[in-house]
Amino acid sequence: MRRQALILVCMVVFGVVGTCHGGSLKKGFYNNTCPNAEAIIKNVTEKRVASDPTLPARFLRMHFHDCFVRGCDASVLLNSTTNNTAEKDAIPNLTLAGFDVIDDIKAEVEKKCPNVVSCADVLALAARDAVSFKVSQTPLWEVLTGRRDSRVSRISEALANLPSPFSNFTTLVQNFANKGLNVQDLVVLSGGHTIGVGHCNAFSNRLYNFTGNGDQDPSLNATYATFLKTQCQSLSDNTTFVVMDPGSGLAFDNNYYVTLKQNKGLFQSDAALLTNKSSRDVVDKLLDSKEFFKEFAKSMEKMGAIGVLTGNAGEIRNKCYVVN
């Protein structure tokens, strides 16, 4: 595996150039300053996952939502203040969960090594360790470390940068390209939908009002749509949720692509992957389980390096929900 990843990311959002950070992440960044950091994070994460099997999906989604806004800098973990509404309170993030567990993991690390390990690294490692638990004897992907924590978190940036479940293929490709990710990464990372749930209001338009005429999305498997209507009985339902990968909602595997090929992708953004030949070709390749795990590892390592703060940029937060 790569021992070191050099990062130079400049993000452009709506034509405005953001901050560029050059620096490096590396394997074992804390070997000298906190040699047990990764073991502590792994142990605490696995204990919590053992009692709550929904955490892998929650941490994976939280890590994704963190990296797509300002880069992987733990900005998604910050609470809003009197003078600022944070990313956490943006509509796409209101269904994130597990913040309290990340805080607990960070607290355990702080007991051994105060002011050393960033919240951004805690989240990246916890996501990997949670998903790997019960799936593999070894980590499913490598997490290089050395990230630092942002002092900034803005609701407007979450709304501008997070891919929408209503997006078409062209929009998704642009969302991912803005972060230095390609079509391969888009299809591979969408495979994370093999675990976790989707709330009705993120897809019920496909059931009841797809084109504004009270119609159903014709690309959605009719039998699956009938089932979904028994769970989500109106467009106004914003509390009910269903598993994103029918029959495999807690198992991290490549079944997402099997169901996708059956036109059972839950969101429009899932179905969009079948509307382009290049993405369909990737879907077909990922029907091979070994290929999926190999490519997922590559894309997660890529995603985990988006816009990272390193060196003297940012800070090492004492508590993940508030700046120092």
Side-chain angles (χ1 to χ4, degrees):
M1 301 290 279
R2 295 184 301 278
R3 299 286 297 182
Q4 191 164 347
L6 295 179
I7 296 110
L8 181 59
V9 178
C10 299
M11 281 183 269
V12 180
V13 181
F14 296 131
V16 179
V17 179
T19 305
C20 299
H21 297 288
S24 63
L25 300 178
K26 66 180 183 180
K27 188 173 181 178
F29 180 83
Y30 300 108
N31 282 354
N32 295 324
T33 55
C34 188
N36 293 323
E38 294 194 23
I40 294 169
I41 293 167
K42 183 175 186 286
N43 290 338
V44 179
T45 298
E46 290 185 347
K47 285 179 183 176
R48 297 301 291 266
V49 172
S51 60
D52 182 358
T54 68
L55 282 178
R58 290 175 171 180
F59 285 175
L60 186 61
R61 183 168 180 246
M62 191 186 296
H63 183 35
F64 180 94
H65 281 222
D66 183 37
C67 293
F68 262 67
V69 185
R70 303 188 69 83
C72 310
D73 62 355
S75 54
V76 75
L77 303 180
L78 286 171
N79 286 345
S80 294
T81 64
T82 303
N83 300 316
N84 178 67
T85 306
E87 294 170 29
K88 190 184 283 189
D89 290 319
I91 287 175
N93 287 335
L94 294 178
T95 50
L96 292 180
F99 293 109
D100 57 325
V101 184
I102 295 296
D103 291 338
D104 290 347
I105 297 169
K106 169 67 168 172
E108 289 301 312
V109 176
E110 286 293 301
K111 288 178 184 177
K112 298 291 184 182
C113 312
N115 310 313
V116 173
V117 181
S118 70
C119 295
D121 279 341
V122 168
L123 176 54
L125 289 162
R128 189 271 311 275
D129 294 338
V131 174
S132 300
F133 186 60
K134 290 189 177 179
V135 175
S136 173
Q137 295 298 312
T138 56
L140 289 178
W141 65 91
E142 185 169 64
V143 175
L144 303 181
T145 45
R147 297 167 188 79
R148 288 171 65 85
D149 299 325
S150 172
R151 296 187 180 96
V152 179
S153 181
R154 299 188 182 103
I155 186 174
S156 59
E157 294 183 347
L159 294 171
N161 286 276
L162 289 173
S164 164
F166 305 106
S167 292
N168 61 25
F169 182 75
T170 302
T171 302
L172 289 169
V173 169
Q174 189 59 60
N175 285 154
F176 276 65
N178 288 343
K179 308 304 173 190
L181 302 174
N182 57 30
V183 170
Q184 170 89 6
D185 300 311
L186 164 61
V187 179
V188 170
L189 293 174
S190 294
H193 287 175
T194 190
I195 51 175
V197 299
H199 286 74
C200 290
N201 58 342
F203 61 86
S204 57
N205 67 308
R206 301 185 73 197
L207 304 175
Y208 298 111
N209 201 31
F210 188 59
T211 65
N213 294 311
D215 54 339
Q216 183 173 299
D217 182 351
S219 73
L220 184 62
N221 180 291
T223 303
Y224 186 43
T226 299
F227 164 74
L228 290 175
K229 285 179 178 179
T230 68
Q231 306 300 302
C232 307
Q233 298 184 12
S234 74
L235 280 169
S236 60
D237 185 345
N238 60 5
T239 56
T240 306
F241 53 82
V242 300
V243 295
M244 292 187 286
D245 184 355
S248 184
L250 291 175
F252 189 80
D253 52 29
N254 69 330
N255 194 63
Y256 166 82
Y257 302 102
V258 176
T259 58
L260 188 62
K261 292 281 286 185
Q262 297 168 348
N263 295 311
K264 294 179 182 177
L266 188 61
F267 305 122
Q268 281 176 248
S269 57
D270 294 319
L273 302 182
L274 298 179
T275 64
N276 174 272
K277 184 182 184 305
S278 60
S279 58
R280 283 198 305 271
D281 288 345
V282 179
V283 169
D284 288 339
K285 290 177 183 176
L286 298 175
L287 292 171
D288 180 306
S289 183
K290 288 184 180 179
E291 186 73 10
F292 166 66
F293 282 107
K294 180 183 77 172
E295 294 303 324
F296 193 80
K298 289 180 185 176
S299 291
M300 284 301 296
E301 289 168 34
K302 233 173 129 177
M303 187 191 83
I306 296 172
V308 294
L309 303 177
T310 59
N312 294 317
E315 66 180 11
I316 303 297
R317 281 183 227 143
N318 298 323
K319 295 182 185 298
C320 292
Y321 55 85
V322 62
V323 296
N324 292 342

